[in-house]
Amino acid sequence: MKKLIIFSRHGLRYPLLKYETMSGIISKEDINWDFDEGMLTEKGELLEFKLGLFLRKYIKKFGKKFDKIEFSSNSIRRTVATARILASAMFPYREIDIKFKDKNYNTMESDFNIYLSSLDINKEKLRKLDERLIPEYTRLEEILNIDRNTLVNIGSNIKIGENGFLMSDGAFKIATDIVDMYILKYFEGFNEEDIFRSYNFYNDLEFLSEIKDSLLDTIFGDLDYINDSPTEITKLIQSKINNDNDLDFIVGHDSNIATIFAKLGIKVDYKILEKYPIGAKLLFKVYEDNSFDLELIYYNPTSIRNMDDNDPVIVKLGERLKFEY
């Protein structure tokens, strides 16, 4: 083994939902949560510290001295906070600076997104996506008590922002933000009836989460978009593979895991609430030929909700993998 690279999705956060963009779809009562948009929750901070303690012990099994360590993060509050907590838990007696570009914590760095100068968006693919998600949209409309086909009639869209980053818009963006809030409330321990009314709450929540997973795969798991982007997360990881650190730790987003899985051709065969779990870690065991074994480490949803003492789940995703460019 040459080195380790760990990529982490940020920890449990408050919702990103903006009420003002959803007039006529949700009400203030549907939100029912006073929160700081996108910041880590207190439980999120505790979970990251707990997982950091686990990783401190877990990486010892590789029998390597980690003398040269680097932690880096996207320039967003929730990712920088996650990196700082993990560094403190894993290496409490070292002074570790977290590398990120914007000290105002307000920039989506190009390494953590898909950047396109120009590319035709596949509108037919989006139309088929909306058709495929009609059962999920319909169930969400029932829960929200709004007219049937409201979300389908809005339609989904992908646009290229002024900075060249791909952005979601329309039905699956609106639905994703609502479902994301439901999932986060579940993790935070809200009573199920205070999240939404259902005769089979968890099955409904799992069913609705398909909307969120589909958005991530449609934008950040599309190889045409990934391969056309001059910067994205797998290129950042490849640069870390080629450096001389013993351990590189990177903190980003679920969208980045979608990109990594797509680039490596990884098909998910585990069943959990989110395809790319909150706080999940990807551990790359890198060999001298720059190939790597890959593991996914995450807490299962009930462990997060109940804050139990169970160890995280570890899933082996592949051996001797390489990114192909």
Side-chain angles (χ1 to χ4, degrees):
M1 187 185 83
K2 179 173 77 168
K3 66 177 298 177
L4 287 183
I5 298 173
I6 301 176
F7 175 86
S8 173
R9 183 185 172 190
H10 59 75
L12 182 63
R13 56 161 172 77
Y14 291 106
L16 302 173
L17 180 148
K18 296 182 184 296
Y19 171 74
E20 295 75 16
T21 65
M22 299 188 183
S23 178
I25 296 174
I26 62 172
S27 66
K28 289 285 189 182
E29 290 73 25
D30 293 320
I31 296 176
N32 187 29
W33 195 1
D34 183 20
F35 58 83
D36 296 316
E37 179 189 323
M39 302 280 283
L40 292 188
T41 69
E42 288 187 11
K43 179 185 273 192
E45 293 172 353
L46 290 170
L47 282 166
E48 289 308 302
F49 192 80
K50 182 181 173 186
L51 193 41
L53 294 177
F54 172 84
L55 289 172
R56 185 203 301 183
K57 294 185 294 184
Y58 188 69
I59 63 175
K60 289 180 180 178
K61 77 169 191 171
F62 296 103
K64 183 176 179 63
K65 289 185 68 177
F66 297 102
D67 294 322
K68 194 170 182 182
I69 297 168
E70 183 175 285
F71 276 69
S72 57
S73 167
N74 190 22
S75 294
I76 303 292
R77 290 185 185 276
R78 59 187 177 274
T79 52
V80 176
T82 299
R84 285 181 172 149
I85 293 166
L86 287 163
S88 177
M90 292 179 70
F91 303 102
Y93 306 111
R94 297 200 198 185
E95 292 292 332
I96 297 178
D97 290 327
I98 309 302
K99 292 195 172 184
F100 61 102
K101 294 178 181 177
D102 179 8
K103 302 309 177 183
N104 292 315
Y105 309 99
N106 197 34
T107 298
M108 175 64 75
E109 297 183 22
S110 58
D111 287 328
F112 294 88
N113 210 317
I114 303 292
Y115 175 88
L116 302 176
S117 56
S118 63
L119 181 71
D120 290 333
I121 302 300
N122 190 329
K123 299 291 187 181
E124 180 63 16
K125 184 177 180 179
L126 291 175
R127 185 188 66 77
K128 289 181 178 178
L129 173 69
D130 278 338
E131 285 186 357
R132 181 170 64 79
L133 289 175
I134 284 176
E136 288 85 351
Y137 287 157
T138 300
R139 183 66 189 119
L140 183 57
E141 289 162 353
E142 291 169 352
I143 288 169
L144 293 169
N145 195 28
I146 58 176
D147 291 340
R148 184 163 182 166
N149 293 329
T150 296
L151 293 168
V152 174
N153 290 338
I154 293 171
S156 295
N157 191 25
I158 297 173
K159 59 187 179 182
I160 300 175
E162 292 181 3
N163 53 10
F165 291 157
L166 278 183
M167 302 168 60
S168 59
D169 194 20
F172 72 171
K173 165 62 172 170
I174 292 169
T176 288
D177 284 348
I178 296 170
V179 173
D180 177 69
M181 180 182 66
Y182 291 160
I183 292 171
L184 296 173
K185 280 186 170 183
Y186 174 79
F187 286 150
E188 281 291 305
F190 279 66
N191 293 328
E192 292 178 358
E193 61 270 19
D194 292 331
I195 303 174
F196 61 79
R197 300 279 181 177
S198 171
Y199 291 111
N200 197 334
F201 175 86
Y202 192 85
N203 279 8
D204 268 342
L205 187 61
E206 196 171 52
F207 180 63
L208 293 173
S209 72
E210 294 287 339
I211 300 171
K212 186 169 181 280
D213 293 340
S214 296
L215 181 148
L216 292 168
D217 288 340
T218 298
I219 299 180
F220 301 102
D222 189 304
L223 284 174
D224 288 337
Y225 300 156
I226 296 167
N227 293 334
D228 199 61
S229 181
T231 59
E232 40 84 13
I233 192 61
T234 72
K235 292 183 176 66
L236 175 61
I237 292 173
Q238 187 64 50
S239 72
K240 305 293 186 183
I241 288 174
N242 294 329
N243 72 24
D244 61 355
N245 291 336
D246 299 312
L247 170 64
D248 277 288
F249 204 115
I250 309 165
V251 182
H253 306 270
D254 49 2
S255 54
N256 302 141
I257 302 178
T259 299
I260 293 166
F261 279 18
K263 193 68 178 176
L264 293 173
I266 292 172
K267 304 300 182 185
V268 171
D269 58 4
Y270 52 82
K271 183 62 175 174
I272 50 177
L273 186 55
E274 296 179 285
K275 187 175 180 181
Y276 310 111
I278 194 75
K281 301 348 180 199
L282 288 174
L283 188 146
F284 298 75
K285 178 184 178 183
V286 182
Y287 296 98
E288 291 293 341
D289 66 354
N290 287 345
S291 68
F292 51 85
D293 299 343
L294 186 62
E295 296 178 345
L296 174 69
I297 303 171
Y298 65 91
Y299 283 119
N300 70 49
T302 53
S303 288
I304 295 174
R305 180 170 171 82
N306 299 327
M307 280 295 280
D308 60 33
D309 292 327
N310 292 335
D311 283 340
V313 178
I314 302 174
V315 180
K316 296 185 183 301
L317 297 175
E319 297 181 348
R320 296 288 183 168
L321 303 173
K322 282 191 174 182
F323 292 116
E324 301 294 338
Y325 295 100

